[in-house]
Amino acid sequence: MISRKKALQTMEIVFGLFPDAHCELAHRNAFELTIAVLLSAQTTDIGVNKVTVSLFEKYQTPHDYLAVPIEELENDLRAIGLYRTKAKNVRKLCELLISDYDGQVPDAYEDLIRLPGVGRKTANVVLSVWFGMPRIAVDTHVERVSKRLKFARLKDSVVEVEERLMVLLPEEMWCRAHHALIFFGRYQCTARNPKCMNCPLFAACGYRHKKEN
């Protein structure tokens, strides 16, 4: 693993590559963002956005999702993976929002993870993107590049990667770093066939040594 100084130098390069990194899930409020992140599990943001274009016009409140049969919601989500499970979680989430939170998405981590289908990553995304709180959400991209760039160890869990990033990077950088690392993993350091030959971080990258060996 690298030092805090080296981590900051590495992030400056990542920021330079993706200065405009942002959440690519289309949303207009905290509720839509929560639904979109829930739907994004094992699905690309592009795929989710194709579905939510019409979904968010048809369903605008938690009550709307409960006003139709589950089969209708499943059909609306059919284009994305695990649509049956996600439809059930969306409805359960809406039920809890109505019963416990007056239909509003809560702004506390402990409350967010109570919602069906909302785990640590989803809660951190909502808190960071919508509520502007300093959080680092570790998805598959952030986990992969954090290990390749030696921010974390290969054997580290998702939680350990998150904790390591929070130690290495100052709190005021967390939200920006979260988006920049996602873009780096999505468009540069991809899971398969990463663009190593034009990567300014390749010389110090753990993936380089894996390829060479």
Side-chain angles (χ1 to χ4, degrees):
M1 293 189 293
I2 61 178
S3 66
R4 193 171 193 270
K5 179 180 179 180
K6 183 62 177 178
L8 292 173
Q9 292 173 342
T10 299
M11 283 310 308
E12 286 305 316
I13 295 174
V14 176
F15 289 147
L17 291 172
F18 302 101
D20 301 317
H22 59 281
C23 176
E24 293 190 298
L25 288 170
H27 63 279
R28 296 169 295 191
N29 51 56
F31 180 55
E32 289 185 353
L33 176 60
T34 304
I35 297 296
V37 181
L38 185 158
L39 297 179
S40 70
Q42 299 185 39
T43 306
T44 65
D45 286 3
I46 293 175
V48 173
N49 287 340
K50 288 180 179 178
V51 169
T52 56
V53 167
S54 57
L55 190 77
F56 289 162
E57 290 305 315
K58 181 176 180 179
Y59 306 101
Q60 298 185 17
T61 70
H63 292 279
D64 293 338
Y65 285 94
L66 301 177
V68 300
I70 183 66
E71 294 79 12
E72 183 172 344
L73 180 56
E74 288 178 351
N75 189 59
D76 292 331
L77 301 178
R78 188 175 293 274
I80 62 176
L82 305 174
Y83 69 91
R84 287 194 176 91
T85 298
K86 291 176 181 179
K88 292 177 182 177
N89 282 334
V90 167
R91 284 172 63 92
K92 291 178 181 177
L93 179 150
C94 290
E95 289 173 351
L96 192 58
L97 285 181
I98 293 169
S99 64
D100 290 17
Y101 301 103
D102 296 323
Q104 302 299 312
V105 173
D107 61 358
Y109 175 81
E110 293 76 13
D111 291 321
L112 283 168
I113 60 174
R114 287 188 62 220
L115 302 175
V118 175
R120 189 181 188 92
K121 184 203 77 173
T122 299
N124 282 337
V125 170
V126 173
L127 291 173
S128 172
V129 174
W130 188 258
F131 294 107
M133 297 182 186
R135 296 279 174 162
I136 295 180
V138 179
D139 66 355
T140 56
H141 298 299
V142 175
E143 180 182 9
R144 179 176 68 256
V145 300
S146 293
K147 292 178 177 180
R148 287 181 179 177
L149 296 176
K150 302 178 184 178
F151 288 157
R153 301 168 298 181
L154 291 176
K155 66 178 182 179
D156 283 348
S157 67
V158 171
V159 174
E160 288 172 327
V161 171
E162 179 186 327
E163 292 173 343
R164 180 63 178 164
L165 289 172
M166 291 169 68
V167 169
L168 289 171
L169 306 177
E171 186 175 294
E172 62 269 19
M173 187 184 288
W174 290 354
C175 293
R176 186 183 177 200
H178 156 232
H179 292 304
L181 289 172
I182 288 176
F183 268 51
F184 185 68
R186 184 175 290 162
Y187 301 112
Q188 177 73 38
C189 191
T190 54
R192 298 181 181 180
N193 302 315
K195 301 172 183 176
C196 298
M197 293 302 98
N198 66 350
C199 180
L201 294 170
F202 185 54
C205 175
Y207 189 71
R208 169 196 174 190
H209 303 294
K210 180 178 179 181
K211 291 184 67 176
E212 291 176 346
N213 292 328

